[in-house]
Each structure stands twice: as structure tokens, then as C-alpha cells.
Amino acid sequence: MAAQFGRRLRKGAATTAVAAVAVAALSASQAPGVNDHGRQAAADATPSPEASASDGSATGNSPYYTDLPPLKSPNPSPSTGPAPGGAGATEAGIPATVLDAYKKAEATLREAKPGCNLPWQLLAAIGRVESGQARGGRVDADGTTIKKILGPQLDGNGFALIKDTDDGAYDGNSSYDQAVGPMQFIPSTWAWAGRDGNGDGKKDPNNIYDAALAAGHYLCRNDWDLSRQSELDRAILSYNNSRDYLNLVMRWLDYYRKGTHEVPDGTGTLPDNRSDDGAGASPTPTVPGTTTPAGSTPGPGPKPDKPGKPDKPGKPDKPAGGGTTTPKPPTTPPGTPSTPPTTPPTPTDTVDHLEDAGTAKLTAMAGDTFGRRISTRAETEAGKSVAKVRVRFTIVGDTDTTFTGGEDVATVATNSSGVAVAPALRAGEKTGTVTVRATVVGRAVPGLDYKATVTERAADTLARTGDAALTCAPGGTFANQVEVKATYKGAVADGVAATATLIKSAADPAAADKGPYFKSADGKPVRALTGLKTDAKGLLKLPELYADDTTGTFLLRVTTAGGATLTVELTVAAAETSTPAPSASPSA
């Protein structure tokens, strides 16, 4: 699909240009909270008070582009084609491959997580704010950015402090993490949230298909329903923990919902303003041993200072009483080595070990969500809890058990009590013991393993769905099939293993050697069936039953995992024949 877009759009690249001054004027004129009629726009409504921002985020709370949507309608004018600059219709244009990636991610999530209700316009809003739609759609036909898009290194110098977690695999920086790609994931988040969106077998944060699908899964985790404002707020805040960020994304979401169109790749408009502009953030310092990878494009990091005129040499200050000023001798004797500045330890640096924080026994039936969650506390050597530490929970081993969002890795920041609570576990179909390992991101301390047990699906009650008598003539076929319904604690018990056996007697559960029977695939009599399972509604319909020449009352016993048992009576009897009335004797 992306390749088709690339070939098709290169032929139709537009050449119309609109003055950049108009963009700046329109963006600057649009004050937050006011639309072109002076009313508060729906997207600018105060976020739900229930919204809670987590300590962690997909981007590590990296800087982002703060350009506002223009006042002009996003619907393109019939007489004005897409152009690489301008406002209104042009601002609403999204590069074709980027737009395709957003829509493909929405379609995938609609099938994988239908309860999330993810709109592709939300991915477009975040993509606009994070990277200006992959730097105006500068991607190849497969959706990979022409140059890597990197945020500033998160070294605590005006930004968050996140030490390297990927040994530079994604960002080329082995000292500190940097947000990567068009959706600006930090490496530690990409490690578990990354997805293969274009089917090439790789999970590349620099590919818009992979990054858009990963962003969709990230926003849909925790079983959030994005059609609800409170849960939409939570999802956006979890991407970047900032109320300003939330409001800005909502503005772009509302704008794209009013209309958008595709423009050729590489011709999208580029944003001008970033959240770190004028905020006192200094340019990213060079760290020995680390360089920005060749061919990379800086993300929304600090802008370099503009060159200015050199200062004119000034005259020496005169003392109040006139005369010249005598320089003071240096306080440090010459030759004394300077003391290098010391960096205060981060919370992560102080963690000595992890402790269980009251996690109870973890048990669930296959297919169910575990009722309890794993809680881990980060502590110093003295046993003091440590807040704002990123704890990674990883499901290890051969299992299909996942966290509720479908991932097998989740990263959670510790709260003010030093406790990180993992997302709920959802049991897979493989039974047995599952190991979940908690580790500290960016700190080499021993991990803490938790054991969770997945048991087979079970039922505690079985009942027939009908009450018709089960009768048959010798050598015939029973007119009614046996159907039962399984429940567990009153709820439907689906996928429960069951057996059906024609037993000798109530006291002897062994399979009978005469009487009613099922048929095997080759037509032979079978009086015990295994490998049966209830369907999604908890129903189990048994195959047809046949009778041999033996008459009498027989018993069919159905049992399930969990101990539910149902015994059904079957009757085989010859049809009653009517005796003709004796004829009247002739009269004497």
C-alpha cells in the first residue's frame, strides 16, 4: 500500500505555495480555548477531572511541537490544491503514507481491541504534535523515515533524566535515552510497546506503520475506552504527562475530525514552535563517547542560538573615589586541579533492591483476568522506599498469558510510596505456572520473580437445556440429541473440557458394553467420548445416540473439569402393539 502511494503521489506533487506569514498569523491569532466565533471549542473543554497522569510516559515527557491548528476550515477548497505551505486546507493535509499508516492502525485495533474505539484522527493529532507528521511525510515507500527523528537526550538538563536502557540500539546514545521516530517513543517503552505494522517482520520505531500501530496499542492498554472523555484524557496524558500537551492534542484531534485530505509524501507543512522554546533549556551537551547517528534529524529538541554580534570591549569600572581598579588575586593557587562538578544521584541510582508489596496468591482459570495484581516496592539499602523509579514487568517462559493490553512487557513508575503496580494479567489457554519478573529500568539490581498459576477452565453446574424424554426403539435412533449448559458460579462456562460416558450403573461409572451408543467416524459403536468442550455460550450438544437390541433403562453421564456432573436417563423399549378385540361369537 505504501509503495503504491509513493508511486502515485510522486506524479501529482502540487506546486502551489502559500505565504508562511499567513500560517504564523493564523496560528498566533488562535488563543487557547477560543474558536473563530469566540466560543469554546469542544476540543478545548476542560479535561475530565478524573484524568490522572502517570509518572511514566511513552515519550519520557520529551519536548513537542506546540503549533496550533489554524482558524481556517480544514476542508480543502475546490479551487485550491494541496501545497507545501500555508494554512487551512494545507494544514489539514496529511502525507499519504503517514495517513495510510494511521488508518491501517485504526482498522487493526478495531479488530484486536474493539472496545477501545480508537479514532485514526487521534494518531494523526499525536503524530502532528510529536514530529509534524514524520517531518512533513519524509518517508520512503515502506513508511520508514528518510532520516531518523530523534528528540534531545534525556540527561536532566532541562528535560527528564532517563539513563540509557537500550545500549544505543534505537537512539545511538549509550549514555542517555532519546525519543525515537515519528511517534517519539523512548527505547524502554518501545521495548514492550513496539509493533510490526507493515508486516516486514521487524519492529522499527522509525517506520510510521510500526510506530502508529504501537501508539494505538499503547493508547488502548488498560482496557481504556477512548470514546469516553475521562479515559481519552488518561490515555493522552500517559503519552506525555502534561496538561498543555493534553489540550493541544485535543485541539488537533477536533481539527482533523472536521476534515482532512492526503498530500504527497514530503510536502506536508512543518511546525515551527516547540514546548521547550524560551523555557531556559540549554542545547543538548555533547557526551563523551556518544554522537547523533549519521543521517538523523533532530526531533523537537532545543533550537540552537542565532549568531549575534560580538560584544564591544568595555572600559574597566572605576571605584567610587576615582582611580583604577586593582585586580583581586585568584583565591585558588595556580596549578590546583579543578574539582569536576558532581551529578546528584537520581532516584534510580539509590535503588538497592525490590521487595514484594503485598501481592497475594495469583490464580486464574484459562481465559480469565487475574483478580489480583502484582505490586513491587523499590527500596534503598536502608529499606527506604524510592518514588519515581521505572519498574519493568516481563512475562517470561513459554506461555500465552499476557497483560490485559495484550503485551508481555509493561513498564510502570513507582508512586510516592515506592510501589509499582503491574497491569492485570490475563490468563491464556496454556495451564501451569507463569513467571513474571520485575526489574528496575536503568539499574542493575537483582530482579524479583512472581509466580502465577493458570488452571484449566471449569464448571460447577451442568443442566439439560430441554426436558423432552429420551426414548428409542431397539435398533433405532434417539429422536432428540442431548444438549447441556455449563456454568461456573452462575456465569457461562465457555471452553470447558467435558466427557460423555454411557455407564453401566449409578454405582459403576465404567463404560457399558451394551445398550445405547454413539458412532465413531468409521461407524463403530462408541460408549465414551472425550475431548469435548463447551462453546462460547457454555453449551455442549452431544452427537446422535443409537440403540442396539437391548431394552431397558440406561444412564448417560456428562462430566466437566471442575467437578460438574449430570446423569441423564435413556430408555430403550419396543413399541407397544395393540391386541385386536375378540370378534363376537355368532348367536345361537
Side-chain angles (χ1 to χ4, degrees), residues 235-429:
I236 297 173
L237 282 170
S238 76
Y239 210 89
N240 191 308
N241 186 3
S242 164
R243 286 283 172 163
D244 290 338
Y245 181 88
L246 168 61
N247 290 332
L248 182 62
V249 169
M250 286 300 301
R251 290 179 74 91
W252 279 105
L253 171 58
D254 184 60
Y255 183 74
Y256 286 133
R257 277 174 167 164
K258 292 176 182 176
T260 188
H261 59 280
E262 66 182 45
V263 298
D265 290 344
T267 65
T269 58
L270 299 178
D272 294 318
N273 305 297
R274 292 187 294 263
S275 59
D276 58 320
D277 287 348
S282 60
T284 303
T286 301
V287 179
T290 64
T291 59
T292 300
S296 65
T297 300
K303 294 181 179 178
D305 295 333
K306 294 182 180 179
K309 295 180 180 180
D311 294 335
K312 295 181 180 180
K315 297 180 180 180
D317 294 335
K318 293 183 179 181
T324 59
T325 303
T326 304
K328 294 183 179 179
T331 56
T332 304
T336 302
S338 59
T339 303
T342 58
T343 302
T346 66
T348 302
D349 294 331
T350 66
V351 176
D352 176 74
H353 60 274
L354 294 174
E355 287 285 345
D356 176 48
T359 303
K361 185 177 181 180
L362 298 167
T363 303
M365 285 196 302
D368 287 352
T369 299
F370 284 74
R372 298 184 180 275
R373 297 162 69 176
I374 295 172
S375 297
T376 301
R377 183 170 52 253
E379 294 184 353
T380 65
E381 185 176 5
K384 184 179 179 181
S385 60
V386 185
K388 296 185 178 181
V389 171
R390 295 167 67 82
V391 176
R392 179 178 295 152
F393 297 95
T394 306
I395 300 172
V396 298
D398 182 18
T399 179
D400 55 353
T401 292
T402 65
F403 293 110
T404 49
E407 296 83 15
D408 56 9
V409 181
T411 303
V412 181
T414 57
N415 60 20
S416 58
S417 299
V419 176
V421 181
L425 286 167
R426 180 171 294 162
E429 295 303 318

Side-chain angles (χ1 to χ4, degrees), residues 10-99:
R10 277 192 291 272
K11 296 179 181 179
T15 58
T16 304
V18 181
V21 176
V23 179
L26 285 169
S27 297
S29 67
Q30 189 169 6
V34 180
N35 62 15
D36 53 334
H37 299 291
R39 297 189 301 268
Q40 186 179 33
D44 302 322
T46 302
S48 169
E50 293 84 9
S52 60
S54 65
D55 290 328
S57 71
T59 68
N61 299 325
S62 294
Y64 54 89
Y65 291 110
T66 59
D67 296 54
L68 295 169
L71 291 172
K72 195 172 181 179
S73 170
N75 294 308
S77 169
S79 60
T80 304
T90 307
E91 281 289 338
I94 298 177
T97 299
V98 178
L99 180 60

Side-chain angles (χ1 to χ4, degrees), residues 24 56 65 67 81 85 89 178 195 228 246 314 415 423 470 513 540 585 587:
Y65 291 110
D67 296 54
Q178 295 175 247
R195 292 293 190 280
R228 298 179 179 177
L246 168 61
N415 60 20
L470 299 168
D513 52 9
L540 173 62
S585 58
S587 303

